[in-house]
Amino acid sequence: MNNGQAPAMLITAFMLAAAFVLLLTPIAIITAKKLGIVDHPNSSLKRHKQPTPYLGGLSILMAIILTLIIHLTLFVPSINAEHAGLLLGLLLIVSLGLFDDMYGISPLTKLAFQCLATVIVWTQGLEFFIHQNALINGIFFFIWMIGISNAFNLVDIMDGLASGIGGIAAFFIALLMFSKGELFYGLLLCALAGACLGFLVFNFKPAKIFLGDAGSLAIGFLLASAAVKWSDVSEGNEVYAPLLVLGIPIFETIYISLLRMKAGKSPLLGSNDHFAKRMVKMGFSIKQTVIFTYGFGLLLGIAALAGTFYSASMIYSITAAIVVFASIGFMLSKVDIHS
C-alpha cells in the first residue's frame, strides 16, 4: 500500500467500524440479556433505573477486528511482531474485562493480567523512548500502560462518557500517527474512534448498554499503546501530545486519588467523588456534563495537533491545560458529594 491510499483507508476504517458497531450492538444487547450479563442498580454507585446489559466492549472489539481484517486484506500493510503483540494483548485485556463483567475479579488478579498483557506487547517491541536509561523507560512503560487502561475504567461512570472521550482521543491520536506515516496505528485508532462514536447511539443517556470493563479497559489499553508508539516516532516537544489528548482520564485518575487519600480512603475503592458526578451535584444535568467533557476533549485534541505542527506551542498548551485542570479540580473539590 502506498501513502496515497492512506486517507481513504483511514476514512473507510472509521466508517466501517461505526457501521459494524451499529449492527453488532443490538445483538450484544439481546445476548447479554439472555445470558444475564447485566449491571444491576444495587448500590449507591449504580443508580441507573433498570438492569443494563454489558458486552458493549465486545461489540466494539468485534467491530475493530472486522474492520482490520477487511483493510489488511485489501491494502495489505506490513504486519510485524509489534502489531501482533498489541492485538494479542488487546484480546487478553478484553477477555479479562469480560470475565470481570460476568463473574467479578479481585483487584490483584485484574492487575496481574494487566501486567501480563503489558509484558506481551513489551516483549514484542513496543516500548517507551523517553529516556536514555532502559530501566527508567521500562518502569514508566508499565506505569503508563496499566495507569491509562484503568483511567478509562474510572471515567466510565456516566452514560456515554468513556466511549465519547475514548472516541475523540482515538481520532486525534490517529491523525498524529497518520502525520508520521504510521499507517497500522492510524488504521487501528480510526477503527477505534469509529466504533466508540458509533456505540454512542446505544450508550448515550439513557444507555441501552454499557461498555463494561471489557470495553473501558480495552479503550485505555489501545490508546496507551498508541501513545507509547508515538514516543518512538515523534521528535522534540511532539512527544508530549498524548498527555494533552488523554488529559481528561489522566486528570480523573490523579484527582480522585488525591481526594480519596486526603479523606483517608484507598484510591482503589469506588466512591461518588468523580469529577463528572461532582458537576452533576453542582446542578449540571448528566447530558450537559458529558457534552461539556466532549467539548473539552476536543479542545485538548486540537491543542495537541497545534503543538505537534508548531512545537513551540506545546509547552504553553500543556501549562495552560494544567492550570485549567487545577482550577476545575479546586472548584469541584468544594462540592459536597454527600448532601
Side-chain angles (χ1 to χ4, degrees):
M1 182 188 66
N2 58 58
N3 286 339
Q5 294 174 298
M9 182 186 76
L10 298 179
I11 293 171
T12 55
F14 181 94
M15 296 178 65
L16 266 179
F20 279 131
V21 159
L22 292 174
L23 292 172
L24 292 170
T25 303
I27 299 174
I29 292 173
I30 295 171
T31 302
K33 288 181 176 179
K34 285 187 175 181
L35 298 179
I37 309 174
V38 296
D39 190 23
H40 294 278
N42 57 5
S43 75
S44 61
L45 300 179
K46 299 181 178 182
R47 297 180 177 178
H48 45 285
K49 296 181 179 180
Q50 57 187 9
T52 304
Y54 282 133
L55 295 188
L58 189 59
S59 66
I60 287 177
L61 174 67
M62 292 301 299
I64 292 173
I65 289 176
L66 289 172
T67 300
L68 282 176
I69 290 173
I70 292 173
H71 282 76
L72 297 183
T73 301
L74 293 177
F75 295 100
V76 198
S78 58
I79 297 297
N80 56 34
E82 179 187 303
H83 302 154
L86 174 58
L87 295 176
L88 180 59
L90 174 63
L91 289 175
L92 179 59
I93 287 292
V94 172
S95 299
L96 166 69
L98 193 58
F99 196 88
D100 191 28
D101 291 334
M102 295 173 66
Y103 305 109
I105 299 177
S106 70
L108 283 179
T109 301
K110 187 183 295 187
L111 178 61
F113 277 95
Q114 288 177 328
C115 286
L116 177 58
T118 302
V119 167
I120 290 173
V121 297
W122 180 55
T123 57
Q124 297 306 307
L126 189 66
E127 57 183 316
F128 259 137
F129 292 91
I130 57 175
H131 198 276
Q132 294 179 344
N133 189 299
L135 177 60
I136 293 176
N137 285 332
I139 292 172
F140 272 103
F141 176 70
F142 272 79
I143 292 174
W144 175 263
M145 291 293 295
I146 294 171
I148 295 298
S149 295
N150 285 291
F152 273 89
N153 192 237
L154 285 174
V155 170
D156 189 25
I157 44 84
M158 197 168 283
D159 292 353
L161 190 60
S163 50
I165 294 172
I168 292 168
F171 173 75
F172 281 105
I173 298 181
L175 293 180
L176 293 175
M177 288 298 180
F178 174 56
S179 73
K180 295 296 183 180
E182 289 293 329
L183 300 179
F184 176 82
Y185 281 90
L187 163 65
L188 183 62
L189 291 171
C190 272
L192 175 60
C196 284
L197 298 180
F199 183 66
L200 285 177
V201 172
F202 306 96
N203 187 233
F204 198 73
K205 184 176 177 62
K208 302 178 181 66
I209 186 171
F210 291 155
L211 278 173
D213 279 9
S216 58
L217 291 175
I219 292 171
F221 183 81
L222 281 178
L223 291 171
S225 300
V228 172
K229 184 63 178 179
W230 179 250
S231 75
D232 181 21
V233 301
S234 60
E235 300 176 358
N237 289 339
E238 294 175 354
V239 72
Y240 301 115
L243 293 178
L244 283 171
V245 177
L246 300 173
I248 293 172
I250 292 173
F251 164 72
E252 170 79 327
T253 303
I254 295 172
Y255 183 61
I256 63 175
S257 295
L258 290 175
L259 287 177
R260 290 173 185 177
M261 287 188 292
K262 182 181 178 181
K265 301 177 182 178
S266 169
L268 301 178
L269 296 179
S271 65
N272 283 316
D273 50 8
H274 300 264
F275 80 87
K277 292 193 174 183
R278 287 176 178 269
M279 288 180 66
V280 172
K281 270 289 186 180
M282 287 181 65
F284 292 95
S285 69
I286 290 177
K287 287 184 178 179
Q288 288 171 337
T289 299
V290 171
I291 292 173
F292 173 85
T293 307
Y294 291 170
F296 196 36
L298 285 170
L299 289 177
L300 290 170
I302 292 170
L305 286 181
T308 299
F309 296 109
Y310 305 97
S311 60
S313 69
M314 181 66 77
I315 299 302
Y316 295 112
S317 296
I318 291 176
T319 302
I322 291 173
V323 171
V324 171
F325 275 124
S327 300
I328 292 174
F330 178 77
M331 180 178 61
L332 292 178
S333 68
K334 303 302 180 181
V335 176
D336 184 6
I337 60 174
H338 303 294
S339 61

Coordinates of all heavy atoms in Angstrom, one line a residue, residues 45-120:
L45 N -23.4 3.5 44.0 CA -22.6 3.8 42.9 C -23.2 3.5 41.6 O -22.8 3.9 40.5 CB -21.2 3.1 43.0 CG -20.4 3.4 44.2 CD1 -19.1 2.6 44.2 CD2 -20.1 4.9 44.3
K46 N -24.3 2.7 41.6 CA -25.0 2.3 40.4 C -26.5 2.7 40.5 O -27.3 1.9 41.0 CB -24.9 0.7 40.2 CG -23.4 0.3 40.1 CD -23.3 -1.2 40.0 CE -21.9 -1.7 39.8 NZ -21.8 -3.1 39.6
R47 N -26.7 3.9 40.0 CA -28.1 4.5 40.1 C -28.9 4.4 38.9 O -29.9 5.1 38.8 CB -27.9 5.9 40.6 CG -27.2 6.0 42.0 CD -27.0 7.4 42.4 NE -26.4 7.5 43.8 CZ -26.2 8.6 44.4 NH1 -26.4 9.8 43.8 NH2 -25.6 8.6 45.6
H48 N -28.5 3.6 37.9 CA -29.4 3.5 36.7 C -30.7 2.8 37.1 O -30.7 2.0 38.1 CB -28.7 2.8 35.6 CG -28.0 1.5 36.0 ND1 -26.8 1.5 36.7 CD2 -28.3 0.2 35.9 CE1 -26.3 0.3 36.9 NE2 -27.2 -0.5 36.4
K49 N -31.8 3.1 36.4 CA -33.1 2.7 36.9 C -33.4 1.2 36.7 O -34.3 0.6 37.4 CB -34.1 3.5 36.2 CG -34.0 5.0 36.6 CD -35.1 5.8 35.9 CE -35.0 7.3 36.3 NZ -36.0 8.1 35.6
Q50 N -32.8 0.5 35.7 CA -33.1 -0.9 35.5 C -31.8 -1.6 35.1 O -30.8 -1.0 34.7 CB -34.1 -1.0 34.4 CG -33.7 -0.3 33.1 CD -34.8 -0.3 32.0 OE1 -35.9 -0.6 32.3 NE2 -34.5 0.1 30.8
P51 N -31.8 -3.0 35.2 CA -30.6 -3.7 34.8 C -30.2 -3.4 33.3 O -31.1 -3.4 32.4 CB -31.1 -5.2 34.9 CG -32.1 -5.1 36.0 CD -32.9 -3.8 35.7
T52 N -29.0 -3.1 33.1 CA -28.5 -2.7 31.8 C -27.4 -3.7 31.3 O -26.5 -4.0 32.0 CB -27.9 -1.3 31.9 OG1 -28.9 -0.4 32.4 CG2 -27.5 -0.8 30.5
P53 N -27.5 -4.1 30.1 CA -26.6 -5.1 29.5 C -25.2 -4.6 29.5 O -24.9 -3.4 29.3 CB -27.1 -5.4 28.1 CG -28.5 -5.0 28.1 CD -28.6 -3.9 29.1
Y54 N -24.2 -5.5 29.7 CA -22.8 -5.2 29.4 C -22.6 -5.7 28.0 O -23.5 -5.6 27.2 CB -21.9 -6.0 30.4 CG -21.8 -5.4 31.8 CD1 -21.9 -6.3 32.9 CD2 -21.4 -4.1 32.0 CE1 -21.7 -5.8 34.2 CE2 -21.3 -3.6 33.2 CZ -21.4 -4.4 34.3 OH -21.2 -3.9 35.6
L55 N -21.4 -6.1 27.7 CA -21.0 -6.6 26.3 C -20.8 -5.5 25.3 O -20.6 -5.8 24.1 CB -22.0 -7.6 25.8 CG -22.1 -9.0 26.6 CD1 -23.0 -9.9 25.8 CD2 -20.7 -9.6 26.9
G56 N -20.9 -4.2 25.7 CA -20.6 -3.2 24.8 C -19.2 -3.2 24.3 O -18.9 -3.0 23.1
G57 N -18.3 -3.6 25.2 CA -16.9 -3.7 24.9 C -16.6 -4.8 23.8 O -15.8 -4.7 22.9
L58 N -17.4 -5.9 23.9 CA -17.3 -7.0 22.9 C -17.7 -6.5 21.5 O -17.1 -6.9 20.5 CB -18.1 -8.2 23.4 CG -17.9 -9.5 22.6 CD1 -16.4 -9.9 22.7 CD2 -18.8 -10.6 23.2
S59 N -18.8 -5.7 21.5 CA -19.2 -5.3 20.1 C -18.2 -4.3 19.5 O -17.9 -4.3 18.3 CB -20.6 -4.6 20.2 OG -20.5 -3.4 21.0
I60 N -17.6 -3.5 20.4 CA -16.5 -2.6 19.9 C -15.3 -3.4 19.4 O -14.7 -3.1 18.3 CB -16.1 -1.6 21.0 CG1 -17.2 -0.6 21.2 CG2 -14.8 -0.9 20.6 CD1 -16.9 0.4 22.3
L61 N -14.9 -4.4 20.2 CA -13.8 -5.3 19.7 C -14.0 -5.9 18.4 O -13.2 -6.0 17.5 CB -13.5 -6.3 20.8 CG -12.4 -7.3 20.4 CD1 -11.0 -6.7 20.3 CD2 -12.4 -8.5 21.4
M62 N -15.2 -6.5 18.3 CA -15.6 -7.2 17.0 C -15.6 -6.3 15.9 O -15.2 -6.6 14.8 CB -16.9 -7.9 17.2 CG -16.9 -9.1 18.2 SD -15.7 -10.4 17.7 CE -16.4 -10.8 16.1
A63 N -16.1 -5.0 16.1 CA -16.1 -4.0 15.0 C -14.7 -3.7 14.6 O -14.4 -3.6 13.4 CB -16.8 -2.8 15.5
I64 N -13.8 -3.6 15.5 CA -12.4 -3.3 15.2 C -11.7 -4.4 14.5 O -11.0 -4.2 13.5 CB -11.6 -2.9 16.5 CG1 -12.1 -1.6 17.1 CG2 -10.1 -2.9 16.2 CD1 -11.5 -1.3 18.5
I65 N -11.9 -5.6 14.9 CA -11.3 -6.8 14.3 C -11.8 -7.0 12.9 O -11.0 -7.2 11.9 CB -11.6 -8.1 15.1 CG1 -10.8 -8.0 16.4 CG2 -11.3 -9.3 14.3 CD1 -11.1 -9.2 17.4
L66 N -13.1 -6.8 12.7 CA -13.7 -7.0 11.3 C -13.2 -5.9 10.4 O -12.8 -6.2 9.2 CB -15.2 -6.9 11.4 CG -15.9 -8.1 12.0 CD1 -17.4 -7.9 12.2 CD2 -15.7 -9.4 11.2
T67 N -13.1 -4.7 10.9 CA -12.5 -3.6 10.1 C -11.0 -3.9 9.7 O -10.6 -3.6 8.6 CB -12.6 -2.3 10.9 OG1 -14.0 -2.0 11.2 CG2 -12.0 -1.1 10.1
L68 N -10.3 -4.4 10.7 CA -8.9 -4.7 10.4 C -8.7 -5.8 9.4 O -7.9 -5.7 8.5 CB -8.2 -5.1 11.7 CG -7.8 -4.0 12.7 CD1 -7.2 -4.7 14.0 CD2 -6.8 -3.1 12.1
I69 N -9.6 -6.8 9.5 CA -9.5 -7.9 8.6 C -9.7 -7.4 7.1 O -9.0 -7.8 6.2 CB -10.5 -9.0 8.9 CG1 -10.1 -9.8 10.2 CG2 -10.7 -10.0 7.8 CD1 -11.1 -10.7 10.7
I70 N -10.8 -6.6 7.0 CA -11.1 -6.1 5.6 C -9.9 -5.3 5.1 O -9.5 -5.4 3.9 CB -12.4 -5.3 5.7 CG1 -13.6 -6.2 5.9 CG2 -12.6 -4.5 4.4 CD1 -14.9 -5.5 6.2
H71 N -9.4 -4.4 5.9 CA -8.4 -3.5 5.4 C -7.0 -4.2 5.2 O -6.3 -3.8 4.3 CB -8.2 -2.3 6.4 CG -9.3 -1.3 6.2 ND1 -10.6 -1.4 6.7 CD2 -9.3 0.0 5.6 CE1 -11.3 -0.4 6.4 NE2 -10.6 0.5 5.7
L72 N -6.7 -5.1 6.1 CA -5.5 -5.8 5.9 C -5.5 -6.7 4.6 O -4.5 -7.0 4.0 CB -5.2 -6.7 7.1 CG -4.9 -5.9 8.4 CD1 -4.6 -6.9 9.5 CD2 -3.9 -4.9 8.2
T73 N -6.7 -7.2 4.3 CA -6.9 -8.0 3.1 C -6.8 -7.1 1.8 O -6.2 -7.5 0.8 CB -8.3 -8.7 3.1 OG1 -8.4 -9.5 4.3 CG2 -8.5 -9.5 1.9
L74 N -7.4 -5.9 1.9 CA -7.4 -5.1 0.7 C -6.1 -4.3 0.5 O -5.6 -4.2 -0.6 CB -8.6 -4.1 0.8 CG -10.0 -4.7 0.7 CD1 -11.1 -3.6 0.9 CD2 -10.2 -5.4 -0.6
F75 N -5.6 -3.8 1.6 CA -4.5 -2.9 1.5 C -3.1 -3.5 1.8 O -2.1 -3.1 1.4 CB -4.6 -1.7 2.4 CG -5.8 -0.8 2.0 CD1 -7.0 -0.9 2.7 CD2 -5.7 0.1 1.0 CE1 -8.1 -0.1 2.4 CE2 -6.8 0.9 0.6 CZ -8.0 0.8 1.3
V76 N -3.2 -4.7 2.5 CA -2.0 -5.5 2.9 C -0.8 -4.6 3.4 O 0.3 -4.6 2.8 CB -1.5 -6.3 1.7 CG1 -0.6 -7.4 2.1 CG2 -2.7 -6.9 0.9
P77 N -1.0 -3.9 4.4 CA 0.2 -3.2 5.0 C 1.0 -4.3 5.8 O 0.6 -5.4 6.0 CB -0.4 -2.2 6.0 CG -1.7 -2.9 6.4 CD -2.2 -3.6 5.2
S78 N 2.3 -3.9 6.0 CA 3.1 -4.9 6.7 C 2.7 -5.0 8.1 O 2.4 -4.1 8.8 CB 4.6 -4.4 6.6 OG 4.7 -3.1 7.2
I79 N 2.6 -6.3 8.6 CA 2.3 -6.6 9.9 C 3.5 -7.2 10.6 O 4.0 -8.3 10.1 CB 1.1 -7.6 10.0 CG1 -0.1 -6.9 9.4 CG2 0.8 -8.0 11.5 CD1 -0.6 -5.7 10.2
N80 N 4.0 -6.6 11.7 CA 5.2 -7.2 12.3 C 4.8 -7.7 13.7 O 3.7 -7.7 14.1 CB 6.2 -6.1 12.4 CG 5.7 -4.8 13.1 OD1 4.9 -4.9 14.0 ND2 6.2 -3.7 12.7
A81 N 5.8 -8.2 14.4 CA 5.6 -8.8 15.7 C 5.0 -7.8 16.7 O 4.2 -8.2 17.6 CB 7.0 -9.3 16.2
E82 N 5.4 -6.5 16.6 CA 4.9 -5.5 17.5 C 3.3 -5.4 17.3 O 2.6 -5.3 18.3 CB 5.5 -4.2 17.2 CG 5.0 -3.0 18.0 CD 5.6 -1.7 17.6 OE1 6.8 -1.6 17.5 OE2 4.8 -0.8 17.3
H83 N 2.9 -5.4 16.1 CA 1.4 -5.3 15.8 C 0.7 -6.5 16.3 O -0.4 -6.4 16.9 CB 1.2 -5.1 14.3 CG 1.9 -3.9 13.7 ND1 2.2 -3.9 12.4 CD2 2.2 -2.8 14.2 CE1 2.8 -2.7 12.1 NE2 2.8 -2.0 13.2
A84 N 1.3 -7.7 16.1 CA 0.7 -8.9 16.5 C 0.6 -9.0 18.1 O -0.4 -9.4 18.6 CB 1.5 -10.1 16.0
G85 N 1.7 -8.5 18.7 CA 1.7 -8.5 20.2 C 0.7 -7.5 20.7 O 0.0 -7.8 21.7
L86 N 0.5 -6.4 20.1 CA -0.6 -5.5 20.5 C -1.9 -6.1 20.4 O -2.8 -6.0 21.4 CB -0.5 -4.2 19.7 CG -1.6 -3.1 19.9 CD1 -1.6 -2.7 21.3 CD2 -1.4 -1.9 19.0
L87 N -2.2 -6.8 19.3 CA -3.6 -7.4 19.2 C -3.8 -8.5 20.2 O -4.9 -8.7 20.7 CB -3.7 -7.9 17.7 CG -3.7 -6.8 16.7 CD1 -3.8 -7.4 15.3 CD2 -4.9 -5.8 16.9
L88 N -2.7 -9.3 20.4 CA -2.8 -10.4 21.4 C -3.0 -9.8 22.8 O -3.9 -10.3 23.6 CB -1.5 -11.2 21.4 CG -1.5 -12.4 22.4 CD1 -2.6 -13.3 22.1 CD2 -0.1 -13.1 22.2
G89 N -2.3 -8.7 23.1 CA -2.5 -8.1 24.4 C -3.9 -7.5 24.5 O -4.6 -7.6 25.6
L90 N -4.4 -7.0 23.5 CA -5.8 -6.4 23.4 C -6.8 -7.6 23.7 O -7.8 -7.4 24.5 CB -6.1 -5.8 22.1 CG -7.5 -5.3 21.9 CD1 -7.9 -4.2 22.9 CD2 -7.7 -4.8 20.4
L91 N -6.7 -8.7 23.1 CA -7.6 -9.8 23.3 C -7.5 -10.3 24.7 O -8.6 -10.6 25.3 CB -7.2 -11.0 22.3 CG -7.5 -10.8 20.9 CD1 -7.0 -11.9 20.0 CD2 -9.0 -10.6 20.6
L92 N -6.4 -10.3 25.3 CA -6.2 -10.7 26.7 C -7.0 -9.7 27.6 O -7.7 -10.0 28.6 CB -4.8 -10.8 27.1 CG -4.5 -11.1 28.6 CD1 -5.1 -12.5 29.0 CD2 -3.0 -11.2 28.9
I93 N -6.8 -8.4 27.3 CA -7.5 -7.3 28.1 C -9.0 -7.4 28.0 O -9.7 -7.3 29.0 CB -7.0 -5.9 27.7 CG1 -5.6 -5.7 28.2 CG2 -7.9 -4.9 28.2 CD1 -5.4 -5.6 29.7
V94 N -9.5 -7.6 26.8 CA -10.9 -7.8 26.6 C -11.5 -9.0 27.3 O -12.5 -9.0 28.0 CB -11.3 -7.8 25.1 CG1 -12.8 -8.1 24.9 CG2 -11.0 -6.5 24.5
S95 N -10.7 -10.1 27.2 CA -11.1 -11.4 27.9 C -11.2 -11.2 29.4 O -12.1 -11.6 30.1 CB -10.2 -12.5 27.6 OG -10.2 -12.8 26.2
L96 N -10.1 -10.5 30.0 CA -10.1 -10.1 31.4 C -11.3 -9.3 31.8 O -12.0 -9.6 32.8 CB -8.8 -9.4 31.7 CG -8.7 -8.7 33.1 CD1 -8.6 -9.7 34.2 CD2 -7.5 -7.7 33.1
G97 N -11.6 -8.3 31.0 CA -12.7 -7.4 31.4 C -14.1 -8.1 31.3 O -15.0 -7.9 32.1
L98 N -14.2 -9.0 30.2 CA -15.4 -9.7 30.1 C -15.6 -10.7 31.2 O -16.8 -10.8 31.7 CB -15.3 -10.5 28.7 CG -16.6 -11.1 28.2 CD1 -17.7 -10.0 28.0 CD2 -16.4 -11.9 26.9
F99 N -14.6 -11.3 31.7 CA -14.7 -12.3 32.8 C -15.1 -11.5 34.1 O -15.9 -11.9 34.9 CB -13.4 -13.0 33.0 CG -13.5 -14.2 33.9 CD1 -13.8 -15.4 33.4 CD2 -13.3 -14.1 35.3 CE1 -13.9 -16.6 34.2 CE2 -13.4 -15.2 36.1 CZ -13.7 -16.5 35.5
D100 N -14.5 -10.3 34.2 CA -14.8 -9.5 35.4 C -16.3 -9.0 35.3 O -17.0 -9.0 36.3 CB -13.9 -8.3 35.4 CG -14.0 -7.5 36.7 OD1 -14.3 -8.1 37.7 OD2 -13.7 -6.3 36.7
D101 N -16.8 -8.6 34.1 CA -18.2 -8.2 34.0 C -19.1 -9.4 34.3 O -20.2 -9.1 34.9 CB -18.4 -7.8 32.5 CG -17.7 -6.5 32.2 OD1 -17.5 -5.7 33.1 OD2 -17.5 -6.3 31.0
M102 N -18.7 -10.6 34.0 CA -19.6 -11.7 34.2 C -19.5 -12.3 35.6 O -20.5 -12.7 36.2 CB -19.3 -12.8 33.2 CG -19.5 -12.4 31.8 SD -18.9 -13.6 30.5 CE -20.0 -15.0 30.9
Y103 N -18.3 -12.4 36.2 CA -18.1 -13.1 37.4 C -17.5 -12.3 38.5 O -17.6 -12.6 39.7 CB -17.3 -14.4 37.2 CG -17.8 -15.3 36.1 CD1 -17.2 -15.4 34.9 CD2 -19.0 -16.0 36.3 CE1 -17.7 -16.2 33.9 CE2 -19.5 -16.8 35.3 CZ -18.8 -16.9 34.1 OH -19.4 -17.7 33.1
G104 N -16.8 -11.2 38.2 CA -16.1 -10.4 39.2 C -14.7 -11.0 39.4 O -14.5 -12.2 39.5
I105 N -13.7 -10.1 39.5 CA -12.3 -10.5 39.7 C -11.8 -9.6 40.8 O -12.1 -8.4 40.8 CB -11.5 -10.3 38.4 CG1 -12.1 -11.3 37.3 CG2 -10.0 -10.7 38.6 CD1 -11.3 -11.1 36.0
S106 N -10.9 -10.1 41.6 CA -10.3 -9.3 42.6 C -9.3 -8.3 42.0 O -8.8 -8.5 40.9 CB -9.5 -10.2 43.6 OG -8.3 -10.7 43.0
P107 N -9.1 -7.1 42.6 CA -8.2 -6.1 42.0 C -6.8 -6.7 41.8 O -6.2 -6.3 40.7 CB -8.1 -5.0 43.1 CG -9.5 -5.1 43.8 CD -9.8 -6.6 43.8
L108 N -6.3 -7.5 42.6 CA -4.9 -8.1 42.4 C -4.9 -9.0 41.2 O -3.9 -9.0 40.4 CB -4.5 -8.8 43.7 CG -4.0 -7.9 44.8 CD1 -3.6 -8.8 46.0 CD2 -2.8 -7.1 44.4
T109 N -5.9 -9.8 41.0 CA -6.0 -10.7 39.9 C -6.0 -9.9 38.6 O -5.4 -10.2 37.6 CB -7.2 -11.6 40.0 OG1 -7.1 -12.4 41.2 CG2 -7.2 -12.6 38.8
K110 N -6.9 -8.8 38.6 CA -7.0 -8.0 37.5 C -5.7 -7.3 37.1 O -5.3 -7.2 36.0 CB -8.1 -6.9 37.7 CG -8.4 -6.0 36.5 CD -9.4 -5.0 36.9 CE -10.8 -5.5 37.3 NZ -11.8 -4.5 37.4
L111 N -5.0 -6.8 38.2 CA -3.7 -6.2 38.0 C -2.7 -7.2 37.4 O -1.9 -6.8 36.5 CB -3.2 -5.6 39.3 CG -1.8 -5.0 39.3 CD1 -1.8 -3.8 38.3 CD2 -1.4 -4.6 40.7
A112 N -2.7 -8.4 37.9 CA -1.8 -9.4 37.4 C -2.0 -9.7 35.9 O -1.0 -9.8 35.1 CB -2.0 -10.7 38.1
F113 N -3.2 -9.8 35.4 CA -3.5 -10.0 34.0 C -3.2 -8.8 33.1 O -2.7 -8.9 32.0 CB -4.9 -10.4 33.8 CG -5.1 -11.9 34.0 CD1 -5.5 -12.4 35.2 CD2 -4.8 -12.8 33.0 CE1 -5.7 -13.7 35.5 CE2 -5.0 -14.2 33.2 CZ -5.4 -14.7 34.4
Q114 N -3.3 -7.6 33.7 CA -3.0 -6.4 33.0 C -1.4 -6.3 32.8 O -0.9 -5.9 31.8 CB -3.4 -5.1 33.8 CG -4.9 -4.9 33.7 CD -5.4 -3.7 34.5 OE1 -4.8 -3.4 35.6 NE2 -6.5 -3.1 34.1
C115 N -0.7 -6.7 33.8 CA 0.7 -6.8 33.7 C 1.1 -7.8 32.7 O 2.1 -7.6 31.9 CB 1.3 -7.2 35.1 SG 1.3 -5.9 36.3
L116 N 0.4 -8.9 32.6 CA 0.7 -9.9 31.6 C 0.5 -9.4 30.2 O 1.4 -9.6 29.3 CB -0.1 -11.2 31.8 CG 0.0 -12.3 30.8 CD1 1.5 -12.8 30.7 CD2 -0.9 -13.5 31.1
A117 N -0.6 -8.7 30.0 CA -0.8 -8.1 28.7 C 0.2 -7.0 28.3 O 0.7 -6.9 27.2 CB -2.2 -7.4 28.7
T118 N 0.7 -6.3 29.3 CA 1.7 -5.3 29.1 C 3.0 -6.0 28.8 O 3.8 -5.5 27.9 CB 1.9 -4.4 30.4 OG1 0.6 -3.8 30.7 CG2 3.0 -3.4 30.2
V119 N 3.4 -7.1 29.4 CA 4.6 -7.9 29.1 C 4.5 -8.3 27.7 O 5.6 -8.3 27.0 CB 4.7 -9.0 30.1 CG1 5.8 -10.0 29.6 CG2 5.1 -8.5 31.5
I120 N 3.4 -8.8 27.2 CA 3.2 -9.3 25.9 C 3.6 -8.2 24.8 O 4.4 -8.5 23.9 CB 1.8 -9.8 25.6 CG1 1.6 -11.1 26.4 CG2 1.6 -10.1 24.1 CD1 0.1 -11.6 26.4

